[in-house]
Amino acid sequence: MSVEGSPPAGPLVLGGDLGGTSTRIVIADSEGNVVGRGAAAGGNPTSHPASAAANFGQALHAALAGLDASEVKAAVVGMAGGSALGRPDVAARFDEAWTGAGLTVAPDYIGDLEVAFASGTPQPDGIVLIAGTGSNVGLVRDHQLVRTVGGHGWLLGDEGSGFWLGREAVRSVLQALDLREPLGLLEQTVVQTVLPDRDQHSVAEREGYDALRDDLVRTVNSRPPVLLAELAPAVIAAYAQDDETARGLVKRAAELLTETVARLKTTSDQGPMVLAGSVAGESSPVGQLIRQHFAGEVLTARDGVGGATWLALGALDPTLATTANHSRLVER
C-alpha cells in the first residue's frame, strides 16, 4: 500500500477490479485522491474458485493498511465471473474476506462491462465491447448495464475473441494437414507453440501428416479449452507479417465483433462506444478494423479499477462523479 498526498478528505470509497490474472483495490477520499492501493493474483471466482476470495482479501488488507476501514462508505467492485457469487459457498468466502478486512459497508458487485465503460468515459450512456479471452457487448444507461448480447462463453459463443482466434488458428492447421498442404507461417507457429517438442519436418512425409494431426488434436483436447486464447498473439504476429491465413482470421474476427454490436446498437442509441480487451485494443489489428467500421465516438477503456472507484464516488454522492475526478482516477 502507498499513501498518496495529504490526509484523506471526508469519507472514503473503495473501487475493485477482479479479473482472471489480477485483483486490484483502490481507496480514495471524497475529493478523488487515491489514499490506498492493494493488488493480488486473479480474483475471478469462476476461473479461480479456490483462490479468488483469498486473493480478494489479500488485496483489501493491503489497500486498507494504515486506514480506518469503517470510514469506507461506498464500494463498487467490478468482477469477471461474478455469476459464481450466486453459489452460497463462494459468496460466503467473499463475505468473509470483506468483513475480515474490517469493512462495514455493503459492496456493490457489478460486471466487467460496466467497469470497462466507466473507465473509458464519464458519460452516462453508451455501448461497451469487451474482446479479450472472451467477447461481450453491453448497453449502458445512467452508468448501469441494462442489456447485453454475446458473452455466451467459449462453447456457445465468444465470437471474434482471443479464444476464437486461437481455435480458428488450430483449425487452419488441421485443414492443411487433412489436405496434405504445406504449413504456412501461422500454422507453423501454432504447431511450435502447442507441440514444442514435435519434429515438424515429419510432415514432409505422407505418413507424418496423420501423426502430427493426431498429436495436435490430442494435446489441445487435453488442456482447458480457454487456453486456446494463448494463440491469439500468434495470429496477430502472423498478420503483421502478411500471412494470408492470419489476415483472413483478423478480418473475420472484426466482422463477428461488429455483428455482435449490431444486435444491440440502433440509430437511437446515444453516447460513445468504449472498446476494451486485448483483441479490441488500439494496437490490435482487430480493434483497428472495428474502429474503422463505426462512425461516431469510439473510445478505449483505461484503468478498470479507476473506473470502479469513480463509480463508488458517484454512489457516495452523485455530485462527486465529475469529469475532473474521472480524469484523476482513470487517466493515471
Side-chain angles (χ1 to χ4, degrees):
M1 191 278 294
S2 62
V3 176
E4 305 179 13
S6 58
L12 304 178
V13 299
L14 180 151
D17 185 16
L18 280 60
T21 59
S22 67
T23 297
R24 295 182 301 150
I25 303 295
V26 160
I27 311 296
D29 65 15
S30 59
E31 294 181 353
N33 301 305
V34 174
V35 296
R37 294 183 184 273
N44 183 324
T46 297
S47 60
H48 300 82
S51 59
N55 292 335
F56 184 41
Q58 178 183 336
L60 288 171
H61 280 280
L64 289 163
L67 300 172
D68 182 355
S70 67
E71 286 298 307
V72 175
K73 303 302 183 183
V76 174
V77 179
M79 180 186 297
S83 60
L85 292 183
R87 292 171 42 188
D89 59 324
V90 175
R93 292 192 188 100
F94 272 78
D95 287 344
E96 182 179 354
W98 188 260
T99 57
L103 291 156
T104 56
V105 66
D108 182 11
Y109 292 111
I110 63 175
D112 50 358
L113 282 167
E114 290 165 276
V115 168
F117 184 80
S119 76
T121 178
Q123 296 189 46
D125 306 325
I127 288 177
V128 55
L129 162 65
I130 294 180
T133 298
S135 62
N136 202 0
V137 179
L139 179 66
V140 177
R141 288 289 179 266
D142 194 23
H143 303 296
Q144 294 186 337
L145 190 67
V146 297
R147 184 185 166 199
T148 64
V149 295
H152 303 144
W154 67 268
L155 183 61
L156 299 175
D158 281 347
E159 294 89 351
S161 66
F163 167 83
W164 184 91
L165 285 169
R167 184 191 65 188
E168 295 304 305
V170 173
R171 292 180 68 184
S172 72
V173 178
L174 297 176
Q175 178 175 314
L177 294 175
D178 283 345
L179 295 173
R180 302 299 196 255
E181 294 178 347
L183 303 185
L185 173 63
L186 175 61
E187 289 84 6
Q188 292 177 35
T189 303
V190 169
V191 173
Q192 291 168 353
T193 303
V194 178
L195 302 171
D197 299 325
R198 188 69 158 77
D199 181 7
Q200 292 188 72
H201 296 295
S202 65
V203 301
E205 301 295 333
R206 182 178 178 83
E207 61 272 16
Y209 284 95
D210 291 341
L212 179 57
R213 180 195 62 197
D214 292 347
D215 281 354
L216 187 63
V217 170
R218 185 182 308 110
T219 301
V220 169
N221 282 318
S222 69
R223 305 164 65 199
V226 72
L227 291 184
L228 283 171
E230 296 178 351
L231 294 171
V235 178
I236 302 304
Y239 175 93
Q241 297 184 57
D242 208 26
D243 178 83
E244 183 178 356
T245 301
R247 295 190 72 83
L249 292 182
V250 164
K251 180 182 177 182
R252 184 56 182 153
E255 291 172 348
L256 289 168
L257 290 168
T258 55
E259 289 168 8
T260 303
V261 173
R263 298 182 211 161
L264 189 66
K265 187 174 177 63
T266 69
T267 55
S268 63
D269 286 334
Q270 302 296 317
M273 177 184 297
V274 174
L275 303 186
S278 58
V279 175
E282 291 177 311
S283 62
S284 164
V286 177
Q288 292 165 6
L289 289 173
I290 294 171
R291 286 168 173 80
Q292 292 171 14
H293 178 84
F294 289 106
E297 189 176 16
V298 180
L299 305 172
T300 301
R302 295 179 180 270
D303 188 359
V305 71
T309 309
W310 183 75
L311 289 173
L313 275 178
L316 177 67
D317 182 346
T319 65
L320 298 177
T322 63
T323 300
N325 277 338
H326 186 271
S327 298
R328 186 175 293 113
L329 289 166
V330 174
E331 298 177 6
R332 301 184 62 82

